[in-house]
Amino acid sequence: MKKYSILVVDDDVNILNLLHDMLELENFNVFTAESGFEALKKLEKNPIDLLIVDQKMPEMSGTELFKIVKDKYPDVMRIMMTGYPEIKTFKDAINEGQIYKIIIKPIRRDILSIAVRRALEHREVLLENKRLIERLKIDVIEKAAKIVESEEKYKNLVENSMEGIMELSGDGKILFANQPACKIFGYSREEFQGLFFENLLQDKDEQKNISKQLQKYGNIANHKVPLVKKNGEQITGQISIRSLKDKDGKIRSICNIIDITEELKIQEQINNSKRLAAMGKLAAVVAHEIKNPLGAISNSIGVLKKFLDLKDKDKRLMEIIIKETRRLNDIVNDFLSFAKPKKLSIKKTNLTAIVNDTVTILKKDNLFRNIDIETDIIDDFQEIYIDPDKMKNVFWNLILNSAESISGRGKIKIEVRKKQISERNFISIMISDTGKGIKKEELSRIFEPFYSNKPNGTGLGLSIVQRSIYEHGGNIKVFSEVNKGTSFTIDIPLISGTK
């Protein structure tokens, strides 16, 4: 297998070294440069497949470097990274430098890995298309239907493409689907033969919009559309369609499909992280300003309680003050946990023990006296790599939330499994309850900082849970039905070394 070469350009040596180490761990040949001029020298001497460049650099900006590279080394894929998202900068980089992707700093390894591999896969497709065009001397896009029928090499290219490719009749019937398309939707080739393209759309009216676009322009490029798989799972696809005439004069369409569901999730996580960071700064200031006078109040009340001989109403009033002071202190501590979270500390951990220990402690609380807790942990999770303290907090918060939603007798079930998502191994955790459920209009807001439907809630518990899962490179979803219950599903990638 070819080992790709990547050139990283950034005037910040620390970031440069960090990206160098990240990419070397992904088994790439990595070159580095601290300026655009140094990068051009290295491009002259070394065959480079991918260029990753910081936008803001002295002497020569990222866009200026991309423009030179686009003209001089057109086969080199180009990714821009920046810590200053600006629309004009993005437009210039896309229009003048024809970059493949923009990555916002700070850069996470999983996001960098996905972007790099997709860029290199896209490069291979472009190079193969270029070789085909040179060999066949025809426009591959306009003659795609004819090539599918007559050229074995193009068939191999279609089958080995990273994208789903379909051939559609004039009325939208699926005539052909390559293996990646079968994998995206979960249908076999034979099952596809009886389907129309509209069967793959969540919104059936979307077919009318697509037909109008094709009639007006003859093609659709990079159109984002909600799709549905054979098993009913909803995904988001990016489609490009071009209408052609075959040798008999019949209208045919070639449709390219990319499943961008995971990419959108990652982008959503990035946006959430930015919002959390902004709110965290505010929470830190507020918590700091409250904690000092609160400490003084608490100490003073302690002294008064010790030396005053209070009776009846005065004594009850003092107890209320102490209780509310402690509650306020807990709220401030939540603020601080949210505003200044501890750094992730990954260790070899017995996840099964964390679940069992948390359940054992919570069962002793009076809140759980009428609640049955069932654990169903099939796989062996004695040696996995996670942050044990943060995961213990995740279980604690979610199980406590479930218990608080149950009135009278009820049940909480905790399931832990291994599963595969896009050929990657994940730990899948589901915590479900038979509580009152969450209203549909509240469901989309439960992870928002400071949002709570509890009288004494701070609205930070689930925000902290979500951030902990994101820090592990995972994702969390919630499903709920009023008066029937709620379930939280957490998927965390298994880090290399986990058994």
Side-chain angles (χ1 to χ4, degrees):
M1 182 181 290
K2 177 182 176 182
K3 190 171 183 179
Y4 293 97
S5 295
I6 300 174
L7 174 57
V8 183
V9 188
D10 197 317
D11 59 321
D12 188 322
V13 177
N14 292 327
I15 293 177
L16 203 60
N17 292 335
L18 177 63
L19 294 178
H20 177 279
D21 293 343
M22 280 181 170
L23 293 169
E24 271 204 340
L25 288 172
E26 298 285 343
N27 201 29
F28 295 114
N29 288 324
V30 185
F31 299 87
T32 59
E34 295 181 24
S35 70
F37 295 107
E38 184 183 354
L40 291 172
K41 290 179 181 178
K42 293 201 174 182
L43 281 162
E44 287 179 5
K45 296 179 181 179
N46 303 284
I48 300 297
D49 301 300
L50 173 64
L51 182 66
I52 304 175
V53 182
D54 182 38
Q55 170 60 16
K56 288 190 178 291
M57 296 187 296
E59 300 180 348
M60 183 187 297
S61 70
T63 300
E64 291 169 338
L65 177 58
F66 285 136
K67 190 174 180 181
I68 296 171
V69 172
K70 177 199 70 175
D71 296 332
K72 197 169 182 180
Y73 307 98
D75 293 337
V76 175
M77 292 302 293
R78 299 170 289 280
I79 293 178
M80 184 181 84
M81 54 184 177
T82 179
Y84 306 90
E86 298 172 353
I87 298 299
K88 185 180 184 306
T89 300
F90 292 169
K91 285 183 178 178
D92 292 344
I94 292 169
N95 295 332
E96 297 180 20
Q98 293 183 7
I99 61 171
Y100 173 75
K101 192 171 183 64
I102 298 167
I103 302 178
I104 304 300
K105 291 181 177 179
I107 298 173
R108 284 176 23 195
R109 180 181 169 184
D110 55 342
I111 294 174
L112 178 66
S113 177
I114 290 171
V116 166
R117 294 193 182 281
R118 287 193 175 174
L120 293 171
E121 289 166 0
H122 188 66
R123 179 179 183 272
E124 290 301 316
V125 173
L126 292 176
L127 290 175
E128 184 64 17
N129 284 344
K130 185 177 178 180
R131 287 192 287 269
L132 285 172
I133 291 170
E134 291 173 356
R135 186 173 71 83
L136 299 174
K137 303 298 182 183
I138 62 172
D139 186 339
V140 175
I141 297 176
E142 293 182 353
K143 301 295 182 181
K146 182 178 179 180
I147 294 171
V148 168
E149 295 173 0
S150 64
E151 293 293 334
E152 188 64 31
K153 184 172 180 65
Y154 187 76
K155 287 182 181 179
N156 291 335
L157 175 63
V158 168
E159 285 304 318
N160 295 323
S161 171
M162 298 300 295
E163 300 180 2
I165 299 176
M166 295 181 180
E167 181 186 0
L168 310 175
S169 66
D171 59 356
K173 188 175 182 180
I174 299 172
L175 304 176
F176 167 82
N178 70 347
Q179 193 56 40
C182 294
K183 187 175 180 180
I184 289 172
F185 291 99
Y187 290 102
S188 66
R189 290 183 195 275
E190 292 73 22
E191 289 171 326
F192 263 128
Q193 298 301 314
L195 296 178
F196 286 81
F197 187 69
E198 65 179 13
N199 297 131
L200 307 177
L201 300 170
Q202 289 183 37
D203 183 0
K204 304 309 176 187
D205 291 335
E206 186 68 36
Q207 179 63 44
K208 296 177 183 177
N209 297 331
I210 292 172
S211 298
K212 287 180 182 178
Q213 289 277 338
L214 289 175
Q215 289 173 5
K216 188 173 182 179
Y217 301 108
N219 68 83
I220 294 174
N222 300 327
H223 179 58
K224 190 163 67 174
V225 60
L227 302 170
V228 60
K229 298 171 68 170
K230 178 184 176 181
N231 62 5
E233 181 184 350
Q234 296 182 349
I235 61 173
T236 303
Q238 181 175 286
I239 65 171
S240 297
I241 304 176
R242 189 171 184 87
S243 293
L244 311 164
K245 285 186 179 180
D246 64 13
K247 59 184 179 183
D248 300 321
K250 294 181 180 179
I251 296 293
R252 295 283 187 267
S253 295
I254 301 299
C255 177
N256 291 60
I257 304 171
I258 303 173
D259 183 357
I260 59 171
T261 309
E262 290 302 316
E263 188 175 323
L264 292 176
K265 287 180 183 176
I266 291 171
Q267 188 58 51
E268 183 184 357
Q269 290 182 11
I270 293 171
N271 294 337
N272 283 339
S273 296
K274 289 179 181 177
R275 286 195 293 270
L276 288 173
M279 292 183 179
K281 289 179 181 178
L282 175 61
V285 173
V286 173
H288 179 74
E289 292 300 319
I290 293 174
K291 197 166 183 66
N292 289 337
L294 181 63
I297 293 170
S298 181
N299 290 335
S300 299
I301 292 171
V303 172
L304 287 172
K305 184 182 179 184
K306 184 177 180 180
F307 290 103
L308 293 178
D309 183 19
L310 301 174
K311 300 185 185 299
D312 300 332
K313 289 183 180 181
D314 292 335
K315 187 176 182 180
R316 284 197 298 273
L317 181 60
M318 177 64 77
E319 288 171 352
I320 290 171
I321 294 171
I322 293 171
K323 180 182 175 182
E324 291 303 307
T325 303
R326 286 172 181 167
R327 189 172 73 85
L328 185 56
N329 189 60
D330 290 340
I331 292 172
V332 171
N333 287 333
D334 277 349
F335 273 4
L336 290 174
S337 295
F338 172 74
K340 293 183 178 180
K342 291 189 294 185
K343 290 183 179 179
L344 204 65
S345 177
I346 299 296
K347 300 174 185 176
K348 186 187 288 187
T349 304
N350 187 331
L351 182 65
T352 305
I354 286 180
V355 174
N356 292 334
D357 290 348
T358 305
V359 169
T360 299
I361 294 169
L362 286 173
K363 275 184 174 180
K364 296 177 181 178
D365 193 291
N366 209 32
L367 180 64
F368 291 81
R369 65 184 180 278
N370 293 320
I371 298 174
D372 297 322
I373 302 179
E374 178 185 339
T375 58
D376 183 7
I377 306 174
I378 287 182
D379 295 292
D380 181 11
F381 292 103
Q382 292 188 23
E383 292 185 0
I384 65 169
Y385 288 87
I386 55 174
D387 185 316
D389 292 334
K390 294 205 173 191
M391 285 308 300
K392 188 178 292 183
N393 185 63
V394 166
F395 283 111
W396 186 278
N397 268 289
L398 293 181
I399 297 171
L400 202 56
N401 271 4
S402 291
E404 290 172 346
S405 74
I406 297 171
S407 57
R409 292 210 63 83
K411 180 180 177 181
I412 298 172
K413 186 173 183 180
I414 305 161
E415 300 172 79
V416 187
R417 302 280 190 276
K418 284 181 184 176
K419 73 176 182 181
Q420 279 201 332
I421 303 174
S422 301
E423 300 182 357
R424 293 179 65 197
N425 291 320
F426 281 74
I427 307 169
S428 183
I429 302 162
M430 179 180 285
I431 299 176
S432 55
D433 62 61
T434 58
K436 63 183 179 181
I438 304 170
K439 295 177 183 177
K440 188 175 180 181
E441 59 269 24
E442 296 177 348
L443 205 57
S444 62
R445 300 190 62 194
I446 62 170
F447 293 113
E448 289 182 14
F450 311 112
Y451 176 80
S452 177
N453 56 11
K454 301 175 188 176
N456 295 321
T458 63
L460 290 174
L462 287 178
S463 296
I464 293 170
V465 165
Q466 186 187 55
R467 180 160 59 189
S468 295
I469 299 305
Y470 284 173
E471 286 173 341
H472 281 82
N475 192 39
I476 181 168
K477 297 178 182 177
V478 58
F479 303 91
S480 188
E481 195 170 345
V482 174
N483 297 325
K484 289 193 175 181
T486 302
S487 65
F488 286 87
T489 301
I490 297 168
D491 293 321
I492 299 176
L494 282 169
I495 298 174
S496 178
T498 296
K499 293 184 179 179

